[in-house]
Coordinates of all heavy atoms in Angstrom, one line a residue:
M1 N 0.8 -1.2 0.0 CA 0.0 0.0 0.0 C 0.9 1.2 0.0 O 2.0 1.2 0.5 CB -0.9 0.0 1.2 CG -0.3 0.2 2.5 SD -1.5 0.2 3.8 CE -0.4 0.1 5.2
L2 N 0.4 2.3 -0.5 CA 1.1 3.6 -0.5 C 0.6 4.4 0.6 O -0.6 4.6 0.7 CB 0.9 4.3 -1.9 CG 1.6 5.7 -1.9 CD1 3.1 5.6 -1.9 CD2 1.1 6.5 -3.2
V3 N 1.5 4.9 1.4 CA 1.2 5.8 2.5 C 2.0 7.1 2.3 O 3.2 7.1 2.0 CB 1.6 5.2 3.9 CG1 1.3 6.2 5.0 CG2 0.9 3.9 4.1
L4 N 1.2 8.2 2.3 CA 1.8 9.5 2.1 C 2.0 10.1 3.6 O 1.1 10.1 4.3 CB 0.9 10.4 1.3 CG 1.5 11.8 1.0 CD1 2.6 11.7 -0.1 CD2 0.4 12.7 0.4
I5 N 3.2 10.5 3.9 CA 3.5 11.0 5.2 C 4.0 12.4 5.1 O 4.8 12.8 4.3 CB 4.6 10.2 5.9 CG1 4.2 8.7 6.0 CG2 5.0 10.8 7.3 CD1 5.3 7.8 6.5
T6 N 3.3 13.3 5.9 CA 3.7 14.7 5.9 C 4.0 15.0 7.4 O 3.4 14.4 8.3 CB 2.6 15.6 5.4 OG1 1.5 15.6 6.3 CG2 2.2 15.3 4.0
Y7 N 4.9 16.0 7.6 CA 5.2 16.3 9.0 C 5.6 17.8 9.1 O 6.0 18.4 8.1 CB 6.3 15.5 9.6 CG 7.6 15.5 8.7 CD1 8.6 16.4 8.9 CD2 7.8 14.5 7.8 CE1 9.8 16.4 8.2 CE2 9.0 14.5 7.1 CZ 10.0 15.4 7.3 OH 11.1 15.4 6.5
D8 N 5.4 18.3 10.3 CA 5.8 19.7 10.6 C 6.4 19.7 11.9 O 5.7 19.4 12.9 CB 4.5 20.6 10.6 CG 4.9 22.1 10.7 OD1 6.1 22.4 10.5 OD2 4.0 22.9 11.1
V9 N 7.7 19.9 12.0 CA 8.5 19.8 13.2 C 9.0 21.2 13.5 O 9.6 21.9 12.7 CB 9.7 18.8 13.1 CG1 10.5 18.9 14.4 CG2 9.2 17.4 12.8
S10 N 8.7 21.7 14.7 CA 9.1 23.0 15.2 C 10.6 23.0 15.3 O 11.2 22.2 16.1 CB 8.4 23.4 16.5 OG 9.0 24.6 17.0
T11 N 11.3 24.0 14.6 CA 12.7 24.0 14.7 C 13.3 25.2 15.4 O 14.4 25.7 15.2 CB 13.3 24.0 13.2 OG1 12.8 25.1 12.5 CG2 13.0 22.7 12.6
I12 N 12.4 25.8 16.3 CA 12.8 27.0 17.1 C 14.0 26.6 18.0 O 14.9 27.4 18.2 CB 11.7 27.5 17.9 CG1 10.6 28.0 16.9 CG2 12.1 28.6 18.8 CD1 9.3 28.4 17.6
S13 N 14.0 25.4 18.5 CA 15.1 25.0 19.5 C 16.0 24.1 18.8 O 15.7 23.5 17.7 CB 14.5 24.3 20.7 OG 13.9 23.1 20.3
V14 N 17.2 23.8 19.4 CA 18.1 22.9 18.9 C 17.5 21.5 18.9 O 17.7 20.7 17.9 CB 19.4 22.9 19.7 CG1 20.4 21.8 19.3 CG2 20.1 24.3 19.7
G15 N 16.8 21.2 19.9 CA 16.1 19.9 19.9 C 15.2 19.7 18.8 O 15.0 18.6 18.3
G16 N 14.5 20.7 18.3 CA 13.6 20.7 17.2 C 14.3 20.3 15.9 O 13.8 19.5 15.1
K17 N 15.5 20.9 15.7 CA 16.3 20.7 14.5 C 16.7 19.2 14.5 O 16.8 18.5 13.5 CB 17.5 21.6 14.4 CG 17.0 23.0 14.2 CD 18.2 24.0 14.2 CE 17.7 25.4 14.1 NZ 18.7 26.4 14.2
K18 N 17.1 18.7 15.7 CA 17.5 17.3 15.8 C 16.3 16.4 15.5 O 16.5 15.4 14.8 CB 18.0 17.0 17.2 CG 18.6 15.7 17.4 CD 19.2 15.6 18.8 CE 19.8 14.2 19.0 NZ 20.4 14.0 20.4
R19 N 15.1 16.7 16.0 CA 13.9 15.9 15.8 C 13.6 15.9 14.3 O 13.2 14.9 13.7 CB 12.7 16.4 16.6 CG 12.8 16.1 18.0 CD 11.4 16.4 18.7 NE 10.8 17.6 18.4 CZ 11.0 18.8 18.9 NH1 12.0 18.9 19.9 NH2 10.4 19.9 18.6
L20 N 13.7 17.1 13.6 CA 13.4 17.2 12.2 C 14.3 16.2 11.4 O 13.9 15.5 10.5 CB 13.6 18.6 11.7 CG 13.4 18.9 10.3 CD1 12.0 18.6 9.9 CD2 13.8 20.3 9.9
R21 N 15.6 16.2 11.7 CA 16.6 15.3 11.0 C 16.2 13.8 11.3 O 16.2 13.0 10.4 CB 18.0 15.6 11.5 CG 18.6 16.8 10.9 CD 20.1 16.9 11.1 NE 20.4 16.9 12.6 CZ 20.4 18.0 13.4 NH1 20.1 19.2 12.9 NH2 20.8 17.9 14.6
K22 N 15.8 13.5 12.5 CA 15.5 12.1 12.8 C 14.2 11.7 12.1 O 14.2 10.6 11.6 CB 15.3 12.0 14.3 CG 16.5 11.9 15.1 CD 16.2 11.7 16.6 CE 17.4 11.5 17.4 NZ 17.1 11.2 18.8
V23 N 13.2 12.6 12.0 CA 12.0 12.2 11.3 C 12.3 12.0 9.8 O 11.8 11.0 9.2 CB 10.9 13.3 11.5 CG1 9.7 13.1 10.5 CG2 10.4 13.3 12.9
S24 N 13.1 12.9 9.3 CA 13.4 12.8 7.8 C 14.2 11.5 7.6 O 13.9 10.7 6.6 CB 14.3 14.0 7.4 OG 14.7 13.8 6.1
K25 N 15.2 11.2 8.4 CA 15.9 9.9 8.2 C 15.1 8.7 8.4 O 15.2 7.7 7.6 CB 17.1 9.9 9.2 CG 18.2 10.8 8.8 CD 19.4 10.7 9.8 CE 20.5 11.7 9.5 NZ 21.6 11.6 10.4
K26 N 14.2 8.7 9.3 CA 13.3 7.5 9.5 C 12.4 7.3 8.3 O 12.2 6.2 7.8 CB 12.5 7.7 10.8 CG 11.7 6.5 11.2 CD 12.4 5.2 11.2 CE 13.5 5.2 12.3 NZ 14.3 3.9 12.3
C27 N 11.9 8.4 7.8 CA 11.0 8.3 6.6 C 11.8 7.8 5.4 O 11.3 7.0 4.6 CB 10.4 9.7 6.3 SG 9.1 10.1 7.4
L28 N 13.1 8.2 5.3 CA 13.9 7.8 4.2 C 14.2 6.3 4.3 O 14.4 5.6 3.2 CB 15.2 8.5 4.2 CG 15.2 9.9 3.5 CD1 16.6 10.6 3.7 CD2 14.9 9.7 2.0
D29 N 14.1 5.7 5.5 CA 14.3 4.3 5.6 C 13.2 3.5 5.0 O 13.3 2.3 4.7 CB 14.4 3.9 7.1 CG 15.6 4.3 7.8 OD1 16.6 4.7 7.1 OD2 15.7 4.4 9.0
Y30 N 12.0 4.1 4.8 CA 10.8 3.4 4.4 C 10.3 3.9 3.0 O 9.5 3.2 2.4 CB 9.7 3.6 5.4 CG 9.9 2.8 6.6 CD1 10.6 3.3 7.7 CD2 9.3 1.5 6.8 CE1 10.8 2.6 8.9 CE2 9.5 0.8 7.9 CZ 10.2 1.3 9.0 OH 10.4 0.6 10.1
G31 N 10.8 5.1 2.5 CA 10.2 5.6 1.3 C 11.1 6.6 0.6 O 12.3 6.7 0.9
Q32 N 10.5 7.4 -0.2 CA 11.2 8.5 -1.0 C 10.6 9.8 -0.7 O 9.4 10.0 -0.5 CB 11.2 8.2 -2.5 CG 9.9 8.4 -3.1 CD 10.0 8.3 -4.6 OE1 11.1 8.4 -5.2 NE2 8.9 8.2 -5.3
R33 N 11.5 10.8 -0.6 CA 11.0 12.2 -0.4 C 10.5 12.7 -1.7 O 11.1 12.6 -2.7 CB 12.2 13.1 0.1 CG 11.8 14.5 0.4 CD 13.1 15.4 0.6 NE 13.9 14.9 1.7 CZ 13.8 15.2 3.0 NH1 12.9 16.1 3.3 NH2 14.6 14.7 3.9
V34 N 9.3 13.3 -1.6 CA 8.7 13.9 -2.8 C 8.6 15.4 -2.7 O 8.5 16.1 -3.7 CB 7.3 13.3 -3.2 CG1 7.5 11.8 -3.6 CG2 6.3 13.4 -2.0
Q35 N 8.6 15.9 -1.5 CA 8.8 17.3 -1.2 C 9.5 17.5 0.1 O 9.7 16.5 0.8 CB 7.4 18.0 -1.2 CG 6.8 18.1 -2.6 CD 5.6 19.0 -2.7 OE1 5.2 19.6 -1.7 NE2 5.0 19.1 -3.9
N36 N 9.8 18.7 0.5 CA 10.6 18.9 1.7 C 10.1 18.0 2.9 O 10.9 17.4 3.6 CB 10.7 20.3 2.1 CG 11.6 21.1 1.2 OD1 12.4 20.5 0.5 ND2 11.4 22.4 1.1
S37 N 8.9 18.1 3.3 CA 8.4 17.4 4.4 C 7.3 16.4 4.0 O 6.3 16.1 4.8 CB 7.8 18.4 5.5 OG 8.9 19.2 6.0
V38 N 7.5 15.8 2.9 CA 6.5 14.8 2.3 C 7.2 13.6 1.8 O 8.1 13.7 1.0 CB 5.6 15.5 1.2 CG1 4.6 14.5 0.7 CG2 4.9 16.8 1.7
F39 N 6.7 12.4 2.2 CA 7.3 11.2 1.8 C 6.3 10.2 1.3 O 5.2 10.2 1.8 CB 8.1 10.5 2.9 CG 9.4 11.1 3.2 CD1 9.5 12.2 4.0 CD2 10.6 10.5 2.8 CE1 10.7 12.8 4.3 CE2 11.8 11.1 3.0 CZ 11.9 12.2 3.8
E40 N 6.6 9.5 0.2 CA 5.7 8.4 -0.3 C 6.4 7.1 0.1 O 7.6 6.9 -0.2 CB 5.6 8.5 -1.8 CG 4.8 9.6 -2.3 CD 4.7 9.6 -3.8 OE1 5.5 8.9 -4.5 OE2 3.9 10.4 -4.3
C41 N 5.7 6.2 0.8 CA 6.2 5.0 1.3 C 5.3 3.8 0.8 O 4.1 3.8 1.1 CB 6.3 4.9 2.8 SG 7.2 6.3 3.5
V42 N 5.9 2.9 0.1 CA 5.1 1.7 -0.3 C 5.5 0.6 0.7 O 6.6 0.1 0.7 CB 5.5 1.2 -1.8 CG1 4.8 -0.1 -2.1 CG2 5.1 2.3 -2.8
I43 N 4.6 0.4 1.6 CA 4.9 -0.5 2.8 C 3.6 -1.4 3.0 O 2.5 -1.1 2.6 CB 5.2 0.3 4.0 CG1 4.2 1.4 4.3 CG2 6.6 0.9 3.9 CD1 4.5 2.3 5.5
D44 N 3.8 -2.4 3.8 CA 2.7 -3.3 4.2 C 2.2 -2.8 5.6 O 2.8 -1.8 6.2 CB 3.1 -4.7 4.3 CG 4.2 -5.1 5.2 OD1 4.3 -4.4 6.3 OD2 5.0 -6.0 4.9
S45 N 1.1 -3.3 6.1 CA 0.5 -2.8 7.3 C 1.4 -3.0 8.5 O 1.4 -2.1 9.4 CB -0.9 -3.5 7.5 OG -0.7 -4.9 7.7
T46 N 2.2 -4.0 8.6 CA 3.1 -4.1 9.7 C 4.2 -3.1 9.7 O 4.5 -2.5 10.7 CB 3.8 -5.5 9.7 OG1 2.8 -6.5 9.7 CG2 4.7 -5.7 10.8
Q47 N 4.8 -2.8 8.5 CA 5.8 -1.8 8.4 C 5.2 -0.4 8.7 O 5.8 0.4 9.3 CB 6.3 -1.7 7.0 CG 7.2 -2.9 6.6 CD 7.6 -2.9 5.1 OE1 6.7 -2.7 4.3 NE2 8.8 -3.2 4.9
F48 N 3.9 -0.2 8.3 CA 3.2 1.1 8.6 C 3.1 1.3 10.1 O 3.4 2.3 10.6 CB 1.9 1.1 7.9 CG 1.1 2.3 8.3 CD1 1.5 3.6 8.0 CD2 -0.1 2.2 9.0 CE1 0.8 4.7 8.3 CE2 -0.8 3.3 9.4 CZ -0.4 4.6 9.0
K49 N 2.7 0.2 10.8 CA 2.6 0.4 12.2 C 3.9 0.6 12.9 O 4.0 1.5 13.8 CB 1.9 -0.9 12.8 CG 0.5 -1.1 12.5 CD -0.1 -2.4 13.0 CE -1.5 -2.6 12.5 NZ -2.0 -3.9 12.8
Q50 N 5.0 0.0 12.4 CA 6.3 0.2 13.0 C 6.7 1.6 12.7 O 7.2 2.3 13.7 CB 7.3 -0.8 12.4 CG 7.1 -2.2 12.8 CD 8.1 -3.1 12.0 OE1 8.6 -2.8 10.9 NE2 8.3 -4.3 12.5
L51 N 6.6 2.1 11.5 CA 7.0 3.4 11.2 C 6.2 4.5 12.0 O 6.8 5.4 12.5 CB 6.8 3.7 9.7 CG 7.2 5.1 9.1 CD1 8.6 5.5 9.5 CD2 6.9 5.2 7.6
K52 N 4.9 4.3 12.0 CA 4.1 5.3 12.8 C 4.5 5.3 14.2 O 4.7 6.4 14.8 CB 2.6 4.9 12.7 CG 1.7 5.9 13.3 CD 0.3 5.5 13.0 CE -0.7 6.5 13.7 NZ -2.1 6.1 13.6
Y53 N 4.8 4.2 14.8 CA 5.2 4.1 16.2 C 6.5 4.8 16.4 O 6.7 5.6 17.3 CB 5.3 2.7 16.7 CG 5.8 2.5 18.1 CD1 5.0 2.8 19.2 CD2 7.1 2.1 18.3 CE1 5.5 2.7 20.5 CE2 7.7 2.0 19.6 CZ 6.9 2.3 20.7 OH 7.4 2.2 21.9
Q54 N 7.5 4.6 15.5 CA 8.8 5.1 15.6 C 8.8 6.7 15.4 O 9.5 7.4 16.1 CB 9.7 4.5 14.5 CG 10.1 3.1 14.8 CD 10.7 2.4 13.7 OE1 10.8 2.9 12.5 NE2 11.2 1.2 13.9
L55 N 8.0 7.1 14.5 CA 7.8 8.6 14.3 C 7.2 9.3 15.5 O 7.6 10.3 15.9 CB 7.1 8.9 13.0 CG 7.8 8.5 11.7 CD1 6.9 8.7 10.5 CD2 9.1 9.3 11.6
E56 N 6.1 8.6 16.0 CA 5.5 9.2 17.2 C 6.4 9.3 18.4 O 6.3 10.2 19.2 CB 4.2 8.4 17.6 CG 3.1 8.5 16.6 CD 1.9 7.7 17.0 OE1 1.9 7.0 18.0 OE2 0.9 7.6 16.2
D57 N 7.4 8.4 18.5 CA 8.3 8.4 19.5 C 9.4 9.5 19.4 O 9.9 9.9 20.3 CB 9.0 7.0 19.6 CG 9.8 6.8 20.9 OD1 9.2 7.1 21.9 OD2 10.9 6.2 20.8
I58 N 9.6 9.9 18.1 CA 10.6 11.0 17.9 C 10.0 12.4 18.1 O 10.7 13.2 18.7 CB 11.1 10.9 16.4 CG1 11.8 9.6 16.2 CG2 11.9 12.1 16.1 CD1 12.2 9.3 14.7
I59 N 8.8 12.6 17.7 CA 8.3 14.0 17.7 C 7.9 14.5 19.1 O 7.7 13.6 20.0 CB 7.1 14.2 16.8 CG1 5.9 13.4 17.3 CG2 7.5 13.9 15.3 CD1 4.6 13.8 16.6
N60 N 7.7 15.8 19.3 CA 7.2 16.4 20.5 C 5.7 16.7 20.1 O 5.4 17.5 19.3 CB 7.9 17.6 20.8 CG 7.3 18.4 22.0 OD1 6.2 18.2 22.4 ND2 8.1 19.2 22.6
K61 N 4.8 15.9 20.7 CA 3.4 16.1 20.4 C 2.8 17.4 20.8 O 1.7 17.8 20.3 CB 2.6 14.9 21.0 CG 3.0 13.6 20.4 CD 2.2 12.4 21.0 CE 2.6 11.1 20.3 NZ 2.0 10.0 21.0
E62 N 3.5 18.2 21.6 CA 3.0 19.5 21.9 C 3.3 20.6 20.8 O 2.6 21.6 20.7 CB 3.7 20.0 23.2 CG 3.4 19.1 24.4 CD 2.0 19.1 24.8 OE1 1.4 20.2 24.8 OE2 1.5 18.0 25.2
T63 N 4.4 20.3 20.0 CA 4.8 21.3 19.1 C 4.9 20.8 17.6 O 5.0 21.6 16.7 CB 6.2 21.9 19.4 OG1 7.2 20.8 19.4 CG2 6.2 22.6 20.8
D64 N 4.9 19.5 17.4 CA 5.1 18.9 16.1 C 3.9 18.2 15.7 O 3.0 17.9 16.5 CB 6.3 17.9 16.1 CG 7.6 18.5 16.7 OD1 7.8 19.7 16.6 OD2 8.4 17.7 17.2
S65 N 3.8 17.9 14.4 CA 2.6 17.1 13.9 C 3.0 16.2 12.8 O 4.0 16.4 12.0 CB 1.5 18.0 13.4 OG 1.9 18.7 12.2
L66 N 2.3 15.1 12.7 CA 2.5 14.1 11.6 C 1.1 13.8 11.0 O 0.1 13.9 11.7 CB 2.9 12.7 12.2 CG 4.3 12.7 12.8 CD1 4.4 11.4 13.7 CD2 5.3 12.7 11.7
R67 N 1.1 13.6 9.7 CA -0.1 13.2 9.0 C 0.2 12.0 8.1 O 1.2 12.0 7.4 CB -0.7 14.3 8.1 CG -1.3 15.5 8.9 CD -1.8 16.6 8.0 NE -2.8 17.3 8.8 CZ -4.1 17.3 8.6 NH1 -4.6 16.4 7.8 NH2 -4.9 18.0 9.4
F68 N -0.7 11.0 8.2 CA -0.6 9.8 7.4 C -1.8 9.7 6.5 O -2.9 9.7 6.9 CB -0.5 8.6 8.3 CG 0.6 8.6 9.3 CD1 0.4 9.2 10.6 CD2 1.9 8.2 9.0 CE1 1.5 9.2 11.5 CE2 2.9 8.2 9.9 CZ 2.7 8.8 11.1
Y69 N -1.5 9.6 5.2 CA -2.6 9.4 4.2 C -2.4 8.0 3.6 O -1.4 7.8 2.8 CB -2.6 10.4 3.1 CG -2.7 11.8 3.6 CD1 -1.6 12.6 4.0 CD2 -4.0 12.4 3.8 CE1 -1.7 13.9 4.5 CE2 -4.1 13.7 4.3 CZ -3.0 14.4 4.6 OH -3.1 15.7 5.1
N70 N -3.3 7.1 3.9 CA -3.2 5.7 3.3 C -4.0 5.7 2.0 O -5.2 5.8 1.9 CB -3.9 4.7 4.3 CG -3.7 3.3 3.9 OD1 -3.4 3.0 2.7 ND2 -3.9 2.4 4.8
L71 N -3.2 5.6 0.9 CA -3.8 5.6 -0.4 C -4.0 4.2 -0.9 O -4.5 4.0 -2.1 CB -2.9 6.3 -1.4 CG -2.6 7.8 -1.1 CD1 -1.7 8.5 -2.0 CD2 -3.9 8.6 -1.0
G72 N -3.7 3.2 -0.1 CA -4.0 1.8 -0.5 C -3.1 1.2 -1.5 O -2.1 1.7 -1.9
N73 N -3.6 0.1 -2.0 CA -2.8 -0.7 -3.1 C -3.1 -0.2 -4.5 O -2.2 -0.4 -5.4 CB -3.2 -2.2 -3.0 CG -2.6 -2.8 -1.7 OD1 -1.5 -2.4 -1.2 ND2 -3.4 -3.6 -1.1
N74 N -4.2 0.5 -4.7 CA -4.5 1.0 -6.1 C -4.2 2.4 -6.2 O -4.9 3.2 -6.6 CB -6.0 0.7 -6.3 CG -6.3 0.9 -7.8 OD1 -5.5 0.9 -8.7 ND2 -7.6 1.1 -8.1
Y75 N -3.0 2.8 -5.7 CA -2.6 4.2 -5.6 C -2.3 4.9 -6.9 O -2.3 6.1 -7.0 CB -1.4 4.4 -4.6 CG -0.2 3.6 -5.0 CD1 0.7 4.1 -5.8 CD2 0.0 2.3 -4.5 CE1 1.9 3.4 -6.2 CE2 1.2 1.6 -4.9 CZ 2.1 2.2 -5.7 OH 3.2 1.5 -6.0
K76 N -1.9 4.1 -7.9 CA -1.5 4.7 -9.2 C -2.6 5.6 -9.8 O -2.3 6.5 -10.5 CB -1.0 3.7 -10.1 CG 0.4 3.1 -9.7 CD 0.9 2.2 -10.7 CE 2.3 1.7 -10.2 NZ 3.1 1.1 -11.2
T77 N -3.8 5.2 -9.5 CA -4.9 6.0 -10.1 C -5.3 7.2 -9.2 O -6.1 8.0 -9.6 CB -6.2 5.1 -10.2 OG1 -6.6 4.6 -8.9 CG2 -5.9 3.9 -11.1
K78 N -4.6 7.3 -8.0 CA -4.9 8.3 -7.1 C -3.9 9.4 -7.0 O -4.1 10.4 -6.3 CB -5.1 7.7 -5.7 CG -6.3 6.8 -5.6 CD -6.4 6.1 -4.2 CE -7.4 5.0 -4.2 NZ -7.4 4.3 -3.0
V79 N -2.8 9.2 -7.7 CA -1.7 10.2 -7.7 C -1.5 10.8 -9.0 O -1.3 10.0 -10.0 CB -0.3 9.5 -7.2 CG1 0.8 10.5 -7.2 CG2 -0.5 8.9 -5.8
D80 N -1.5 12.1 -9.1 CA -1.3 12.8 -10.3 C -0.2 13.8 -10.1 O -0.3 14.6 -9.2 CB -2.6 13.4 -10.8 CG -2.5 14.0 -12.2 OD1 -1.6 13.6 -13.0 OD2 -3.4 14.8 -12.5
H81 N 0.9 13.8 -10.9 CA 2.0 14.7 -10.6 C 2.1 15.7 -11.8 O 2.0 15.3 -13.0 CB 3.3 13.9 -10.5 CG 4.5 14.8 -10.4 ND1 5.3 15.2 -11.4 CD2 5.0 15.4 -9.3 CE1 6.2 16.0 -11.0 NE2 6.1 16.2 -9.7
V82 N 2.3 17.0 -11.5 CA 2.5 18.0 -12.5 C 3.7 18.8 -12.1 O 3.8 19.2 -10.9 CB 1.3 18.9 -12.6 CG1 1.6 20.0 -13.6 CG2 0.1 18.1 -13.0
G83 N 4.6 19.1 -13.0 CA 5.7 20.0 -12.7 C 7.1 19.3 -12.5 O 7.2 18.1 -12.9
A84 N 8.0 20.0 -12.0 CA 9.4 19.6 -11.8 C 9.5 18.4 -10.8 O 8.6 18.1 -10.1 CB 10.3 20.7 -11.4
K85 N 10.7 17.8 -10.8 CA 11.1 16.8 -9.8 C 10.2 15.6 -10.0 O 9.6 15.1 -9.0 CB 11.0 17.3 -8.4 CG 12.0 18.4 -8.1 CD 11.8 19.0 -6.7 CE 12.5 18.2 -5.7 NZ 12.5 18.8 -4.4
E86 N 10.1 15.1 -11.2 CA 9.4 13.8 -11.4 C 10.0 12.7 -10.6 O 11.2 12.5 -10.6 CB 9.5 13.5 -12.9 CG 8.7 12.3 -13.3 CD 7.2 12.5 -13.2 OE1 6.7 13.6 -13.5 OE2 6.5 11.5 -12.9
S87 N 9.2 12.0 -9.9 CA 9.7 10.9 -9.1 C 9.8 9.6 -9.9 O 9.1 9.5 -10.9 CB 8.8 10.7 -7.9 OG 7.5 10.4 -8.3
F88 N 10.6 8.7 -9.4 CA 10.7 7.4 -10.1 C 9.5 6.5 -9.7 O 8.9 6.7 -8.7 CB 12.0 6.7 -9.8 CG 12.2 6.3 -8.4 CD1 11.8 5.1 -7.9 CD2 12.9 7.2 -7.5 CE1 12.0 4.8 -6.6 CE2 13.1 6.9 -6.2 CZ 12.6 5.6 -5.7
D89 N 9.2 5.5 -10.5 CA 8.1 4.6 -10.3 C 8.6 3.6 -9.2 O 9.6 2.8 -9.4 CB 7.8 3.8 -11.5 CG 6.6 2.9 -11.4 OD1 6.1 2.7 -10.2 OD2 6.1 2.3 -12.4
I90 N 8.0 3.6 -8.1 CA 8.4 2.8 -6.9 C 8.3 1.3 -7.3 O 9.1 0.5 -6.8 CB 7.5 3.1 -5.7 CG1 7.7 4.5 -5.3 CG2 7.8 2.1 -4.6 CD1 6.7 5.0 -4.2
D91 N 7.4 0.9 -8.1 CA 7.2 -0.5 -8.4 C 8.1 -1.0 -9.6 O 8.2 -2.1 -9.9 CB 5.8 -0.8 -8.8 CG 4.9 -0.7 -7.6 OD1 5.3 -1.0 -6.5 OD2 3.7 -0.3 -7.8
D92 N 8.8 0.0 -10.3 CA 9.6 -0.3 -11.4 C 11.0 -0.9 -11.0 O 11.4 -0.7 -9.8 CB 9.9 1.0 -12.2 CG 10.2 0.7 -13.7 OD1 10.2 -0.5 -14.1 OD2 10.6 1.6 -14.4
T93 N 11.7 -1.5 -11.9 CA 13.0 -2.0 -11.6 C 14.0 -0.9 -11.3 O 14.1 0.1 -12.1 CB 13.5 -2.9 -12.7 OG1 12.6 -3.9 -13.0 CG2 14.9 -3.5 -12.4
L94 N 14.8 -1.0 -10.2 CA 15.8 0.0 -9.9 C 17.2 -0.6 -10.2 O 17.5 -1.7 -9.7 CB 15.7 0.3 -8.4 CG 16.6 1.4 -7.9 CD1 16.4 2.7 -8.6 CD2 16.5 1.6 -6.4
I95 N 17.9 0.1 -11.0 CA 19.3 -0.3 -11.4 C 20.3 0.6 -10.7 O 20.2 1.8 -10.9 CB 19.5 -0.3 -12.9 CG1 18.5 -1.3 -13.5 CG2 20.9 -0.7 -13.2 CD1 18.5 -1.3 -15.0
I96 N 21.2 0.0 -9.9 CA 22.1 0.9 -9.2 C 23.5 0.7 -9.8 O 23.9 -0.4 -10.1 CB 22.2 0.5 -7.7 CG1 20.8 0.8 -7.1 CG2 23.2 1.3 -7.0 CD1 20.6 0.4 -5.7

């Protein structure tokens, strides 16, 4: 399933900047960045629960926020991209 994750981490304090980096790195472990604070993750329900728990453990719930949009397995019909920074097809073969 495709899960879109967005976040807003307060960076007023040094701790906030550290949390922002941690959230970003954790999201990179599961998906690809499509905008500054937006990630697309193709994961199963177990991975989603793990990721959500890990992110909730990182943020400060008084000042930061997370949003999870579950687009399901038929996500290709639900995502339309226009403009720069075309992303790669997550399901396509990746050659390194």
